[in-house]
């Protein structure tokens, strides 16, 4: 029978990683483990930027794994970038800017940038330069068709005016990829958007840090654009066609978001299991009690399921197949699984779970953020209800 003979053949094993991917994960794990969560905590508290870790990852080419070889990257895919991000997070160092700089910005520039933009920016990103991404606005929120930041043609360039908020890592980025509006809107249901690469120190661009309850090296900013002049050469892709270009970056964004959640979950679960094996309060390790062991087992199952879906999403994306549904589902599942694993690890540690020394509770803000951003749980459920289940759109 064909199915029996297949078992003994050399057919690829779809659920096992290649030796190359395992090596990549091992190498990243070793690098990130040298820093570890204590380093991340210190950087987060003291306005550090995890720069030493970021630099070491970029020196080994890990921040440019998805960037084409001719532009200084490794020419691999989002699968490899997600693996790097997950392994770093699994050592207690979730790097939010991996989701922004190499995942969103490098992907959009690779696909839609001019040759000059690719030559100028991709080698820099591969070498570890950071680029922020600005789409969110106070008056538009999840409805990007409603954004109000305008780009007005002015001679050979443009003038940008408007406000963006919750823009991560602007303080440590040389450039920010800004989404502006040139027409359309909520009446038509489709905005005409245009994307620009803007210098973060451009005259007329003001940055204000937003106080946050998230302990992370990347800080958030409100950006005010007051007639910021941008050369025409900084327009990415065609004016007014930015919606399509933004969509190119959304699937990598969701996949990378999922990888960070899975990494945080793995980190928390590892710590919880070590603790549950060692801590004894009734004469035996607390992990003996099913009240402690079962939630950890559930967390393990949920994390593995999310990881599987995320690997599927990344594989589809790298094969240039439609990864929209899978990346949304992976992002949803991973955010929930990561939070659940962290909560469970905190509970397993009793009072120690809330102490800085145990390196768990400070990750709550980051893990919780990933339920809301880069796309909220509700917007994912809207997507699945509408596109996967064929239910009517409610908004
Ligand atoms: C720490 C942090 C970092 C961020 N970094 C960046 C960044 O680098 N760049 C950037 O551009 N943005 C960034 N963001 C913004 C982030 O992407 C948004 O906060 C997120 O997409 C949600 O949008 P909102 O805050 O406007 O919420 P809103 O759109 O105001 O939504 C509020 C609530 O209503 C729900 N809701 C809205 N519409 C619907 C609907 N139709 N059906 C059901 N529920 C709905 C939402 O799910 C949410 O729960 C960041 C945010 C944070 C907190």
């Amino acid at each position: 029978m064909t199915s029996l003979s297949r078992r003994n053949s050399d057919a690829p094993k779809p659920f096992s990683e290649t030796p190359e991917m395992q090596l990549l994960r091992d190498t990243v794990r070793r690098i990130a483990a040298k820093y570890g969560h204590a380093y991340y905590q210190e950087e987060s508290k003291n306005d550090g930027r995890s720069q030493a870790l970021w630099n070491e990852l970029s020196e080994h080419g890990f921040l440019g794994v998805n960037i084409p070889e001719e532009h200084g990257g490794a020419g691999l895919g989002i699968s490899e970038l997600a693996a790097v991000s997950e392994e770093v997070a699994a050592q207690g160092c979730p790097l939010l800017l991996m989701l922004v700089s190499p995942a969103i910005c490098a992907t959009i520039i690779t696909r839609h940038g001019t040759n000059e933009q690719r030559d100028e920016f991709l080698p820099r990103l591969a070498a570890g330069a950071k680029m922020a991404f600005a789409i969110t606005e106070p008056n538009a929120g999840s409805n990007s068709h409603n954004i109000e930041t305008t780009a007005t043609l002015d001679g050979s360039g443009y003038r940008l005016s408007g406000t963006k908020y919750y823009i991560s890592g602007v303080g440590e980025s040389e450039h920010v990829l800004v989404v502006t509006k040139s027409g359309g809107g909520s009446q038509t249901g489709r905005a005409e958007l245009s994307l620009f690469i803007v210098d973060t120190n451009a005259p007329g661009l003001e940055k204000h840090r937003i106080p946050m309850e998230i302990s992370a090296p990347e800080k958030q900013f409100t950006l005010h654009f007051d007639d910021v002049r941008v050369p025409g050469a900084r327009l990415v892709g065609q004016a007014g066609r930015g919606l399509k270009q933004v969509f190119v970056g959304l699937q990598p964004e969701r996949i990378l978001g999922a990888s960070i959640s899975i990494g945080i979950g793995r980190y928390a679960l590892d710590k919880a299991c070590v603790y549950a094996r060692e801590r004894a309060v009734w004469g035996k390790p607390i992990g003996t009690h099913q009240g402690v062991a079962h939630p950890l087992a559930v967390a393990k199952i949920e994390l593995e399921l999310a990881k599987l879906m995320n690997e599927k999403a990344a594989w589809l994306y790298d094969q240039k197949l439609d990864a929209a549904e899978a990346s949304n589902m992976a992002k949803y599942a991973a955010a929930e699984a990561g939070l659940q694993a962290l909560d469970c690890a905190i509970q397993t540690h009793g009072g120690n779970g809330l102490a800085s020394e145990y390196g768990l509770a400070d990750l709550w803000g980051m893990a919780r953020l990933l339920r809301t951003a880069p796309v909220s749980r509700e917007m994912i459920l809207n997507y699945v209800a509408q596109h996967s289940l064929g239910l009517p759109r409610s908004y």
Side-chain angles (χ1 to χ4, degrees), residues 133 135-136 141-142 166-168 214 220 369 374 376 378 382 395:
F133 178 69
I135 185 167
T136 307
S142 304
Y166 295 116
I167 309 307
S168 301
I214 297 175
Q220 275 67 47
L369 164 72
S376 72
E378 292 73 24
N382 283 337
Y395 55 102

Side-chain angles (χ1 to χ4, degrees), residues 213-335:
E213 298 298 332
I214 297 175
S215 183
E218 303 87 357
K219 309 303 178 202
Q220 275 67 47
F221 294 83
T222 298
L223 301 182
H224 297 293
F225 295 82
D226 183 11
D227 250 354
V228 174
R229 275 194 63 81
V230 182
R234 290 291 184 82
L235 168 71
V236 179
Q238 266 179 280
R241 302 292 300 276
L243 196 59
K244 203 172 139 212
Q245 292 148 30
V246 168
F247 273 122
V248 162
L250 293 189
Q251 292 169 22
E253 174 195 70
R254 282 153 175 62
I255 293 165
L256 265 284
S259 72
I260 297 175
S261 292
I262 295 164
I264 292 174
R266 282 177 47 197
Y267 163 81
L269 195 54
D270 283 352
K271 285 185 81 88
C273 291
V274 169
Y275 196 82
R277 278 184 225 112
E278 287 171 0
R279 171 82 169 158
V281 285
W282 303 97
K284 28 173 134 154
I286 54 168
T288 314
H289 310 305
Q290 290 178 341
V292 173
H294 283 186
L296 295 173
V298 172
K300 172 71 176 164
I301 293 168
E302 299 292 340
L303 281 173
E304 287 297 324
L305 291 174
K307 191 163 147 63
L308 199 54
M309 183 51 100
N310 207 33
E311 284 166 10
K312 174 180 171 179
W315 183 86
L316 286 170
Y317 185 84
D318 289 337
Q319 300 301 311
K320 303 202 169 25
L321 297 170
D322 185 1
E325 181 188 68
S327 58
N328 272 300
M329 289 180 172
K331 158 71 178 61
Y332 174 93

Side-chain angles (χ1 to χ4, degrees), residues 180-199:
T180 66
K181 181 164 171 180
S182 41
S186 55
Q187 285 87 7
T188 63
R190 297 196 80 72
E192 287 165 22
L193 306 179
S194 302
L195 272 64
F196 294 91
I197 302 168
V198 180
D199 296 353

Side-chain angles (χ1 to χ4, degrees), residues 361-375:
D362 63 291
L363 282 171
W364 185 256
M366 177 62 80
R368 182 61 185 79
L369 164 72
L370 290 161
R371 184 186 271 166
T372 302
V375 57

